Amino acid sequence: MQYRFLPSLVHAGLALIAAGAQAQSGVTIYGRLNVSLEHADAARAPRDRAVNRESNNRSVIGFRGAEELGDGYQAVFQIEGSLALDTGAGTSLANRDTRVGLQTPYGLVFAGHWGTPYLLATSTLDPWYPTTAGYMALMANGSAPTTNHLGNTASFDRRQQNIVQYWSPGWQGLSARVAYALNDGEIGPGGSKPDLWSASLSWDDGPWNLSLAHEQHRGYQGPGRTDTATKLGAAYRVGPARLTGAIERLRYVTPLGPLTRPALFVAATWQVDRFNLRVSFTDAGDGKGPAGARIGFVSAGDATGARQWTLGADYTLSPRTGLYAYVSRIDNQARAAYDFAINPLGVGVGEKPTVVALGLRHAF
């Protein structure tokens, strides 16, 4: 007799859960699983550091949703964390693109932890993004998958903490994004209070895509010093082929004086049935500036540049699953030490890191 009210309690609980689900317009669980088997070598001679490894290529799991507010307004959110697919090591639930914001007829505004407009302006131009072969090895001076103003003061390919962004609606193929990363009590070199501005302008029209992006890091190298990056990206699709490219100029204000470096990226893909053939080339020029100046991989002087070649293919098993293979090599000049931005090897000056990979990706 003491259990006669149990069915009613269960029914009431289920009704409450259903009512809670209806209060949310829609919640999606999504993810990307991307892992590769790699043979990598940082040097050929006189010393060899070859390794056979399994590499995780920024696998993620996330939750996103929206609530209708009426009159064209929505409350939106996303929580995304990384998965260590190769080791199973625990990671933060929200250490990747995470935000809460409002979608309005006048654009999207949000706050959280997100990739900057500078990063997003050209990341889709690289067919290897995000894998060991990604163009961030040379472009943008490395990669900062999650950082504040102090954790990585070199990279312009960054997912920034404490950031507020505005994304405009599209008009005649044009759209703009602007972001500001607040100083959350961080004290930089010489007592500076670093912050960040980032902006991009994009144009999509049929087969063409053009983008212009600029970013400023204020106080990263000291009070009154502002580092800047500017790049122009382009993509053109014709039949089964897609051609992409980007040019970039980095400028750092170091205690020794300004340090600048140009870079160029080009890629081509060709769809043949289920195969997508891919090739890319990146060139990082010599750094220009006072002797001894160095920020991240960029340093001043002759023979401080590098080139990267990547060749491979992707085979589509389904709209969500694919196999891929590639070989990528970085040719460092005598005084350069560029390394793979994802799954680095640890590279000395003048070395030529190489990786051969066979990977599997799945999205859900």
Side-chain angles (χ1 to χ4, degrees):
M1 294 295 293
Q2 64 268 37
Y3 300 112
R4 61 183 178 180
F5 298 111
L6 185 58
S8 297
L9 291 173
V10 171
H11 179 76
L14 292 175
L16 287 173
I17 293 173
Q22 291 173 0
Q24 182 74 35
S25 294
V27 179
T28 300
I29 301 175
Y30 69 93
R32 179 182 69 238
L33 305 177
N34 192 337
V35 67
S36 56
L37 302 178
E38 298 181 348
H39 175 79
D41 194 359
R44 293 299 180 190
R47 54 197 177 104
D48 184 85
R49 298 199 307 280
V51 60
N52 296 316
R53 64 186 186 181
E54 179 181 327
S55 291
N56 179 43
N57 295 303
R58 294 190 176 172
S59 301
V60 304
I61 186 169
F63 309 84
R64 64 167 67 101
E67 182 184 16
E68 295 292 342
L69 303 177
D71 297 324
Y73 288 80
Q74 286 183 323
V76 298
F77 80 90
Q78 180 171 303
I79 302 170
E80 183 179 283
S82 59
L83 297 174
L85 196 61
D86 51 344
T87 66
T91 56
S92 170
L93 176 66
N95 67 334
R96 291 186 61 84
D97 288 337
T98 298
R99 69 185 180 189
V100 63
L102 288 174
Q103 179 69 62
T104 80
Y106 312 102
L108 170 66
V109 60
F110 64 88
H113 172 228
W114 206 267
T116 65
Y118 190 87
L119 179 159
L120 297 173
T122 60
S123 60
T124 59
L125 304 182
D126 179 12
W128 316 109
Y129 197 104
T131 68
T132 304
Y135 75 165
M136 309 86 73
L138 272 62
M139 296 287 288
N141 199 3
S143 177
T146 175
T147 190
N148 56 23
H149 299 303
L150 304 179
N152 187 322
T153 61
S155 176
F156 282 88
D157 188 284
R158 52 199 303 122
R159 179 173 290 104
Q160 190 73 29
Q161 299 174 8
N162 300 304
I163 199 165
V164 179
Q165 299 204 31
Y166 167 75
W167 296 3
S168 78
W171 179 79
Q172 300 292 319
L174 287 171
S175 61
R177 297 179 180 183
V178 62
Y180 176 65
L182 291 80
N183 179 282
D184 193 31
E186 298 146 305
I187 304 299
S192 67
K193 296 182 179 180
D195 60 3
L196 175 153
W197 282 98
S198 185
S200 68
L201 180 66
S202 298
W203 178 65
D204 287 287
D205 183 35
W208 281 101
N209 172 269
L210 300 176
S211 57
L212 175 66
H214 181 77
E215 188 165 296
Q216 294 185 350
H217 299 170
R218 303 192 302 187
Y220 277 35
Q221 313 305 327
R225 296 174 179 155
T226 299
D227 303 333
T228 60
T230 305
K231 65 181 172 182
L232 176 66
Y236 180 71
R237 185 176 295 278
V238 52
R242 185 173 187 249
L243 306 176
T244 63
I247 55 174
E248 175 182 66
R249 183 179 185 270
L250 306 181
R251 184 180 188 272
Y252 300 93
V253 182
T254 77
L256 300 173
L259 170 64
T260 64
R261 192 217 66 183
L264 164 72
F265 169 79
V266 291
T269 64
W270 186 278
Q271 191 71 38
V272 182
D273 195 21
R274 292 193 175 192
F275 284 95
N276 187 262
L277 308 179
R278 304 173 174 182
V279 62
S280 68
F281 169 74
T282 312
D283 180 84
D286 290 342
K288 305 295 183 182
R294 179 183 177 90
I295 300 291
F297 294 111
V298 177
S299 56
D302 295 334
T304 57
R307 293 177 174 178
Q308 181 181 11
W309 290 266
T310 307
L311 175 66
D314 185 284
Y315 181 75
T316 299
L317 297 171
S318 76
R320 295 182 176 271
T321 305
L323 293 169
Y324 60 88
Y326 60 77
V327 56
S328 185
R329 176 185 175 93
I330 298 174
D331 283 343
N332 281 304
Q333 295 183 3
R335 297 175 55 205
Y338 286 90
D339 199 351
F340 298 115
I342 300 177
N343 307 312
L345 293 172
V347 170
V349 293
E351 292 187 339
K352 305 182 186 302
T354 304
V355 61
V356 180
L358 175 64
L360 174 66
R361 56 173 174 76
H362 176 74
F364 63 89

